[in-house]
Amino acid sequence: MSAFVLAGGVRGARPVLVSRKVQLARCASSARMSEVSETVLRERGYKEGDRVILFDGVCNMCNAGVNMVMSLDKRDQFKFASLQGDVGQALAKKFNCPNDLSTMIYVDGSKAYQRSDAVLRIGERLNLIGIPAWLLLLTVPKPMRDWFYVNVMAKYRYDLFGKRSSCRLPSESERAKFLDIPA
């Protein structure tokens, strides 16, 4: 049996020989990171099935969106975490989402939605979007919705709405909704 394995797997990339020892170390490191992530999530009150909105904590537009969702969430169905925090990073990793501040992520139970899909799913949960508007938005192809989200909203959000010097701190009454804040 060979002591080396072919690694890479990216189309067009040159194959790289990696020793079994290195490969096992990578797997063990990844497993330790998963354990750490699961521990952080458990300690901060995340439960499987929670609905969590991950957002850029220093973005004024994103914070305004969080404030809007909190004011409309009469059924208290959402929790929040900044993408800069441990919980946001752990959830992004758990659901194989990019660690990218330019996107919003909505975790709904066992599935995560990004960009325009996240916005539409949150609106749907809040019953914000009437059926005709919902159907109209769904007829816009996802690549076009995401292009607008990435190249207009995300790209110019700081220019249009500004940026905070640090992540938002929730009030006492909001603390239970934010997974970044230790209980």
Side-chain angles (χ1 to χ4, degrees):
M1 186 162 183
S2 172
F4 290 90
V5 294
L6 206 53
V10 177
R11 189 182 300 258
R14 272 193 334 207
V16 178
L17 287 178
V18 177
S19 73
R20 277 270 181 232
K21 196 176 200 178
V22 168
Q23 185 183 26
L24 290 173
R26 284 181 184 166
C27 289
S29 174
S30 178
R32 278 192 299 276
M33 287 302 291
S34 292
E35 288 172 20
V36 168
S37 295
E38 290 297 325
T39 301
V40 165
L41 294 175
R42 197 171 36 259
E43 287 174 353
R44 297 294 173 84
Y46 171 77
K47 296 177 213 63
E48 294 292 327
D50 278 350
R51 293 184 179 101
V52 184
I53 298 172
L54 306 178
F55 65 101
D56 178 353
V58 298
C59 168
N60 286 335
M61 180 183 77
C62 305
N63 280 291
V66 167
N67 290 339
M68 182 182 80
V69 169
M70 282 195 300
S71 69
L72 295 171
D73 185 15
K74 304 302 181 206
R75 294 181 289 169
D76 204 28
Q77 56 188 326
F78 294 105
K79 293 182 180 177
F80 305 90
S82 71
L83 286 162
Q84 290 93 333
D86 293 343
V87 172
Q89 290 178 10
L91 281 171
K93 181 175 180 160
K94 177 181 178 75
F95 289 96
N96 296 316
C97 295
N99 189 2
D100 176 8
L101 296 179
S102 71
T103 190
M104 178 174 55
I105 300 168
Y106 168 51
V107 174
D108 187 358
S110 62
K111 191 161 183 178
Y113 302 93
Q114 299 175 54
R115 301 180 189 93
S116 64
D117 283 343
V119 173
L120 291 174
R121 296 294 176 168
I122 293 165
E124 178 185 35
R125 292 290 317 163
L126 291 170
N127 296 319
L128 284 183
I129 303 172
I131 295 205
W134 178 251
L135 291 174
L136 180 64
L137 285 171
L138 285 177
T139 62
V140 176
K142 180 178 171 27
M144 287 177 69
R145 285 187 281 124
D146 283 347
W147 180 91
F148 179 80
Y149 183 93
V150 170
N151 294 302
V152 177
M153 296 304 295
K155 187 174 183 178
Y156 297 108
R157 70 189 189 282
Y158 294 148
D159 297 333
L160 296 172
F161 298 94
K163 181 178 177 180
R164 298 170 180 231
S165 59
S166 62
C167 288
R168 116 194 266 285
L169 293 174
S171 68
E172 277 302 314
S173 62
E174 298 170 340
R175 287 179 74 94
K177 293 179 176 245
F178 284 81
L179 297 174
D180 288 327
I181 310 298

